[in-house]
Amino acid sequence: MTESSSPSLSLSSWKTFAIGFGTGLVTTAVGLVAVRQLLQILEGKDKGEGCLFLGIPSSTRLENARRHLLSSSNEVRLRDTPLASVATEGSIESGLPTQTGDQHALLAVQASDQRPAALDEGLTSQAREVRQDHQSLLHLLFQIAEDQAQREGFVHRNITCNVCRTSPVCGVRYMCANCIDFDVCERCEPVVQHDKTHVFVQIRRPIPPLASPRSALFKPLYPGKAHPHSKLTWDEINKLKLSTHFDQAEIEGLYEQFHTLSTSSEGLTRSVYDQCLGPLGLEKNLVVDTLFKFYDANGDGIIDFFEFIKGLSIRVKGTWEEKVLHAFEGYDLEKVKSISRDNLRQMFKAYFQITIALVKDVVRACEEEMMANFDDTQGRPVSSYFSAPIPVETGTQVVQNGKVPIPGNTGTREDMWPVMESMSQDAIEEMVDNVFKIAKLKSDQRISFEQFKEIAVIDSSLTAWFEALGTVF
């Protein structure tokens, strides 16, 4: 019995030894490849080629690193396949020319894509997932290197980055539109410590050096002033995340926006609020006043950051119940938690005034663009090109922006506004009557909040004033 069992034990020992020996050889081979790769990277660093993980490399260094990573990774991964000789040693045995550089890397990737199905059957599901992840990473690195090389193909000559002092600037150039001469490269633009109220113009295609502007393009667009401010603490961010609908990234972005608008460390004053409205802030309006009170929750005349972000949270991501509540509070001018017929009439009137002002602005912009593109020289006689025109009685013509109106337009656009205002008065009375009819109330009765919610579900025009100006900020 002892003699019969000894051959099986010996055979099992030899199998264990062979498996261990093979595993050791594979581990040693992988280690040698990794050491060789590290030595080549260090050698390239000594030669001035740089390292992929030390800063942001140039296009040449990134290309070299990408090629080396692709070739070495595929050499290890394809070592045990019939295509290994093609991927690692070229095609000497098959009579094809040896592939190097990008051709070598692409051939290796193509070879891994064209592996026979029989080879994949011997791999476990985990091994297949690892191989797919490696392949996706190689394609991603290839795309990153290609995009970087294309961006650095744009060279802005005679332009120096004011942060890292790189000259010339390659890739995308960011020029401050409010400074005389301030440029940064695309690597420094996200971290540049510049006036937050200034605007950067993105320039991709290089401007000829002598034609590049050396003066401010326009005045600052932000009404705020640059002043030092501390960053939000973790406790403040967490508190705002719980009390608003914003996440951490949105809160930090709104904090930067707030300081580009504020003129002092206290917050946004009424004058800044009016500037944010543009032309609509020049005239007094009940909707404009009510929205300012909506943001200024404590009524001190200044919108601090916490009021600013809570107001925007309701306007941007608030629920229907939140918006209806604040719309109702806007109608309640006497603050008695009910709405009268006169309250509705005043808010509807202010809303129609805002609407007409917005329509005027759109019509004015469209008319100016049309007049700028209108060619009134076609079909005119030759004598019209002389400086002394022939005196002919043609009647009175209305001139706008120095040009004669388009034929067929006998009046001005101002003639239509009184008609629209008179129509709005009739529409206002009709809307007020409709609201009280839905609520089944008499004219001298007042509307409660619960009744207002029921009417708002049927008639959405009740909350229209709350959305008339967007978010303002």
Side-chain angles (χ1 to χ4, degrees):
M1 202 151 168
T2 304
E3 294 179 357
S4 62
S5 61
S6 58
S8 62
L9 293 174
S10 177
L11 181 61
S12 176
S13 301
W14 277 107
K15 288 182 178 180
T16 304
F17 173 76
I19 293 174
F21 183 75
T23 305
L25 287 178
V26 172
T27 305
T28 304
V30 173
L32 290 175
V33 171
V35 172
R36 187 184 68 175
Q37 180 180 356
L38 179 61
L39 291 176
Q40 290 179 355
I41 293 177
L42 293 177
E43 182 181 359
K45 178 181 177 183
D46 295 337
K47 293 180 180 180
E49 296 179 357
C51 179
L52 181 62
F53 301 101
L54 300 177
I56 299 178
S58 63
S59 60
T60 304
R61 287 177 286 176
L62 191 58
E63 283 290 314
N64 293 336
R66 177 184 62 80
R67 294 172 182 175
H68 176 73
L69 181 59
L70 286 172
S71 59
S72 61
S73 300
N74 282 279
E75 181 179 354
V76 175
R77 187 153 48 86
L78 301 176
R79 186 185 303 277
D80 58 342
T81 67
L83 298 174
S85 60
V86 179
T88 58
E89 301 177 1
S91 302
I92 299 177
E93 298 178 359
S94 60
L96 297 177
T98 303
Q99 306 292 335
T100 59
D102 280 347
Q103 296 177 350
H104 177 89
L106 290 176
L107 181 60
V109 174
Q110 292 175 359
S112 64
D113 292 339
Q114 299 172 358
R115 289 172 59 119
L119 296 177
D120 286 342
E121 293 178 357
L123 299 176
T124 63
S125 60
Q126 184 177 4
R128 293 193 190 97
E129 293 178 358
V130 171
R131 186 173 67 83
Q132 292 175 357
D133 293 341
H134 289 174
Q135 183 177 345
S136 300
L137 178 61
L138 294 176
H139 284 292
L140 177 61
L141 291 175
F142 178 81
Q143 293 176 359
I144 292 175
E146 185 178 12
D147 294 341
Q148 181 69 17
Q150 290 178 354
R151 285 197 300 269
E152 293 191 358
F154 296 98
V155 180
H156 303 268
R157 296 171 180 82
N158 294 348
I159 302 298
T160 303
C161 177
N162 287 68
V163 178
C164 64
R165 312 306 302 176
T166 300
S167 180
V169 172
C170 298
V172 179
R173 167 193 173 191
Y174 291 89
M175 181 183 68
C176 181
N178 307 124
C179 292
I180 296 178
D181 187 9
F182 190 89
D183 299 275
V184 293
C185 61
E186 60 180 330
R187 292 187 291 270
C188 299
E189 189 272 333
V191 296
V192 61
Q193 298 296 327
H194 195 60
D195 193 336
K196 299 298 183 182
T197 62
H198 287 193
V199 177
F200 280 92
V201 177
Q202 176 180 322
I203 302 175
R204 182 177 183 86
R205 298 170 182 82
I207 300 175
L210 297 180
S212 183
R214 289 293 183 268
S215 60
L217 298 181
F218 43 81
K219 297 180 180 180
L221 300 178
Y222 297 100
K225 297 179 180 179
H227 53 81
H229 61 276
S230 59
K231 294 185 177 181
L232 292 172
T233 63
W234 282 108
D235 293 338
E236 292 173 337
I237 293 176
N238 292 330
K239 182 179 178 181
L240 289 173
K241 286 171 63 177
L242 294 175
S243 59
T244 65
H245 301 287
F246 295 123
D247 56 22
Q248 179 181 345
E250 292 172 324
I251 291 173
E252 292 176 348
L254 290 172
Y255 188 69
E256 293 295 330
Q257 179 188 2
F258 176 80
H259 285 286
T260 60
L261 301 176
S262 61
T263 55
S264 64
S265 58
E266 297 179 355
L268 309 181
T269 61
R270 178 58 191 266
S271 60
V272 173
Y273 171 83
D274 292 338
Q275 291 183 48
C276 294
L277 291 172
L280 296 178
L282 301 177
E283 298 181 1
K284 187 175 180 60
N285 185 274
L286 183 58
V287 171
V288 174
D289 296 340
T290 306
L291 282 177
F292 179 79
K293 294 177 182 178
F294 160 75
Y295 282 104
D296 183 20
N298 58 7
D300 62 351
I302 296 178
I303 305 173
D304 59 32
F305 176 68
F306 294 96
E307 294 173 337
F308 172 80
I309 195 171
K310 288 180 180 179
L312 280 178
S313 175
I314 296 173
R315 299 300 303 276
V316 177
K317 295 186 175 182
T319 61
W320 182 82
E321 288 77 9
E322 290 176 331
K323 294 181 179 181
V324 168
L325 173 61
H326 290 283
F328 175 81
E329 293 176 351
Y331 284 106
D332 185 14
L333 302 179
E334 295 89 4
K335 302 304 176 185
V336 293
K337 299 186 182 302
S338 62
I339 302 173
S340 66
R341 185 183 183 89
D342 186 61
N343 295 151
L344 289 176
R345 185 184 296 109
Q346 292 185 52
M347 288 299 296
F348 285 156
K349 182 179 180 180
Y351 170 71
F352 270 96
Q353 290 175 349
I354 288 288
T355 304
I356 291 175
L358 292 173
V359 172
K360 284 183 179 180
D361 186 61
V362 173
V363 171
R364 186 184 302 110
C366 294
E367 190 176 59
E368 290 176 355
E369 181 181 2
M370 184 172 57
M371 283 296 182
N373 298 328
F374 175 65
D375 185 10
D376 57 351
T377 61
Q378 295 183 0
R380 293 171 57 182
V382 178
S383 59
S384 63
Y385 292 94
F386 294 94
S387 59
I390 300 175
V392 178
E393 185 65 27
T394 57
T396 305
Q397 290 182 315
V398 180
V399 179
Q400 295 179 0
N401 300 326
K403 292 188 177 182
V404 178
I406 300 175
N409 185 13
T410 57
T412 64
R413 55 181 168 80
E414 299 297 335
D415 295 338
M416 70 176 105
W417 306 130
V419 178
M420 291 183 62
E421 291 177 359
S422 62
M423 292 175 61
S424 65
Q425 295 296 331
D426 298 336
I428 289 172
E429 292 299 329
E430 183 178 352
M431 290 175 64
V432 173
D433 293 338
N434 185 48
V435 170
F436 274 82
K437 182 179 179 181
I438 296 175
K440 299 179 181 180
L441 297 175
K442 297 180 180 180
S443 298
D444 57 344
Q445 292 180 323
R446 302 179 70 93
I447 302 174
S448 64
F449 176 62
E450 295 300 329
Q451 293 172 327
F452 182 83
K453 287 179 61 177
E454 295 176 359
I455 302 171
V457 174
I458 301 173
D459 188 0
S460 60
S461 62
L462 278 177
T463 59
W465 73 267
F466 193 67
E467 306 290 343
L469 299 177
T471 60
V472 178
F473 301 109

